[in-house]
Amino acid sequence: PRAREALAEAASESWRPAARASFTLLCTLAALAVFSLKSMPNFYSRYRVALAPEGIRIEPTPKEWLELPRADIYFPIHLEQHRLQVIDFRALTRYLLASTRPDEPIFAFPALAMLYFVTGRDNPTHQDYFFGNNVTYEEQLEVIRTLDRVRVPKVVVVNYPNDYFTIKGKDFTRLIRSYLERNYYLEKRIGPYDVLQRYGASMGGLPPDDGL
């Protein structure tokens, strides 16, 4: 019995370092995996894997600068459509800056909250994110009342039919869409964005330059 106990104790003692080493290895691998996942977007925005005649190589990711006074930032360009999105958004912002006064409010629909920041124009409503049914029927009525009371001169809507936010919210925001169709007309189309002007509202700001 004593021999068996001695062997068992020896086996136990020899197992513990191996268990500790295995546990440490697993923790290290887990930490590396988490670090890799967190670092991947940053790496992906700066570099990309490209195929060359000599094989696979890592090269800098092309970028497009937004070039706006309040947002001098760049976006990684992996497809040409990414570049066009930045160009269109920049043109939209410059158009709004030229065709509205700084004190004039605008309304962006369904999910273009960044537009308020880059233009410095106020959103008079309490909503800036219409996704699915996150905005209730009563809240939509309040948005309409505000647009009507303030007589917001310009509204920006997404005209791209496959836009994710548009698809998700289409069945739930018919009230607002119907109001916009009755009270606004298309003033200018810039890529996937439609700038709507309110019937009877005066054009603020400077005469828009079509070259913007």
Side-chain angles (χ1 to χ4, degrees), residues 68-145:
L68 295 173
R70 304 191 71 185
D72 189 19
I73 57 178
Y74 73 85
F75 293 83
I77 305 301
H78 299 286
L79 299 172
E80 185 58 24
Q81 67 184 51
H82 298 158
R83 188 182 305 279
L84 295 178
Q85 289 170 0
V86 178
I87 291 173
D88 290 337
F89 187 80
R90 180 171 59 228
L92 170 67
T93 301
R94 290 177 174 173
Y95 181 80
L96 290 172
L97 288 172
S99 62
T100 62
R101 299 190 310 271
D103 62 334
E104 277 187 323
I106 62 173
F107 181 62
F109 180 82
L112 291 168
M114 186 179 178
L115 204 56
Y116 303 120
F117 174 76
V118 295
T119 62
R121 278 28 174 191
D122 183 45
N123 171 15
T125 78
H126 293 159
Q127 308 295 334
D128 62 9
Y129 186 79
F130 299 82
F131 181 71
N133 62 346
N134 73 309
V135 180
T136 66
Y137 177 80
E138 290 75 17
E139 288 171 331
Q140 290 187 56
L141 285 177
E142 182 57 32
V143 168
I144 291 174
R145 293 190 191 101

